[in-house]
């Protein structure tokens, strides 16, 4: 009878060990499935974020290209009047050195017009920048071109 008792005890211990292993395996599989779902969700989120970043980088590159082009245009537009002022300044110095002050005064008027055109360009850039930043409203209204042409022509 001792043999059957030991066999029965051994069978009971083995069954208990088998049940513990099965419960542990079941729990590990559930944890594994949960973690796989979490990794898949996070990976999907990272893919969406990477796509968003890629689009933002493309937009930023386009904006930088536009900015570079705008700076080149501004430089070109300012260079002409500034060179003209420099040349007129040289001419005024020459005329004053040779006693032709009246002619130098006329060239002073040219400088005044060039500085005015530079100021207008800078004002336009400022207004454009403010409107792009949303800090200035643009009000549109109909105007009489005929009256504007007459006033401008005078």
């Amino acid at each position: 009878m001792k043999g059957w008792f030991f066999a029965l005890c051994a069978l009971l211990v083995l069954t208990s060990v088998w049940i513990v292993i099965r419960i542990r395996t079941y729990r590990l599989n559930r944890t594994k499935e949960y973690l796989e779902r979490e990794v898949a969700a996070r990976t999907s989120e990272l893919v969406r974020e990477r796509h968003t970043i890629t689009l933002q980088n493309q937009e930023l590159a386009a904006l930088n290209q536009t900015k570079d082009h705008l700076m080149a245009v501004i430089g070109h537009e300012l260079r002409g009047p500034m060179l003209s002022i420099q040349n007129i300044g040289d001419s005024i110095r020459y005329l004053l050195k040779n006693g032709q002050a009246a002619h130098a005064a006329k060239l002073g008027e040219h400088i005044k017009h060039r500085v005015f055109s530079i100021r207008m360009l800078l004002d336009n850039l400022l207004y454009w920048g403010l409107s792009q930043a949303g800090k200035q409203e643009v009000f549109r209204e109909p105007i009489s071109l005929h009256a504007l042409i007459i006033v401008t022509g005078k």
Side-chain angles (χ1 to χ4, degrees):
M1 185 130 151
K2 283 186 180 182
W4 283 105
F5 179 73
F6 285 124
L8 188 58
C9 284
L11 182 62
L12 184 61
V13 168
L14 286 176
T15 304
S16 297
V17 169
W18 181 78
I19 289 173
V20 168
I21 290 173
R22 291 292 290 173
I23 290 172
R24 179 75 177 140
T25 303
Y26 173 76
R27 288 181 180 167
L28 288 174
N29 282 337
R30 277 188 23 203
T31 303
K32 177 185 165 192
E33 290 170 0
Y34 168 76
L35 291 174
E36 286 175 347
R37 284 191 306 272
E38 287 295 314
V39 166
R42 183 66 180 133
T43 301
S44 175
E45 182 181 335
L46 288 173
V47 166
R48 282 192 307 276
E49 288 174 358
R50 179 177 286 178
H51 179 69
T52 300
I53 289 170
T54 301
L55 292 175
Q56 289 172 341
N57 281 338
Q58 290 171 350
E59 183 180 353
L60 182 61
L63 289 172
N64 274 335
Q65 187 176 11
T66 301
K67 176 203 53 126
D68 292 343
H69 178 71
L70 181 63
M71 289 298 135
V73 168
I74 291 170
H76 176 74
E77 291 297 320
L78 287 174
R79 188 171 189 253
M82 293 304 289
L83 287 175
S84 176
I85 290 171
Q86 181 182 4
N87 290 337
I88 293 171
D90 292 341
S91 297
I92 289 174
R93 188 174 329 129
Y94 173 80
L95 292 171
L96 290 175
K97 193 185 289 185
N98 292 324
Q100 297 179 8
H103 192 64
K106 288 181 186 177
L107 289 178
E109 283 297 315
H110 288 293
I111 288 178
K112 180 181 174 182
H113 292 312
R114 293 294 180 193
V115 169
F116 179 76
S117 72
I118 292 172
R119 188 179 136 242
M120 292 301 294
L121 175 64
L122 293 174
D123 285 346
N124 287 339
L125 286 171
L126 175 65
Y127 295 140
W128 178 81
L130 290 173
S131 70
Q132 293 299 307
K135 295 182 179 179
Q136 181 183 32
E137 294 184 35
V138 176
F139 298 102
R140 296 179 185 198
E141 62 182 48
I143 60 170
S144 169
L145 286 179
H146 180 68
L148 183 64
I149 291 171
I150 291 173
V151 170
T152 306
K154 289 182 180 179

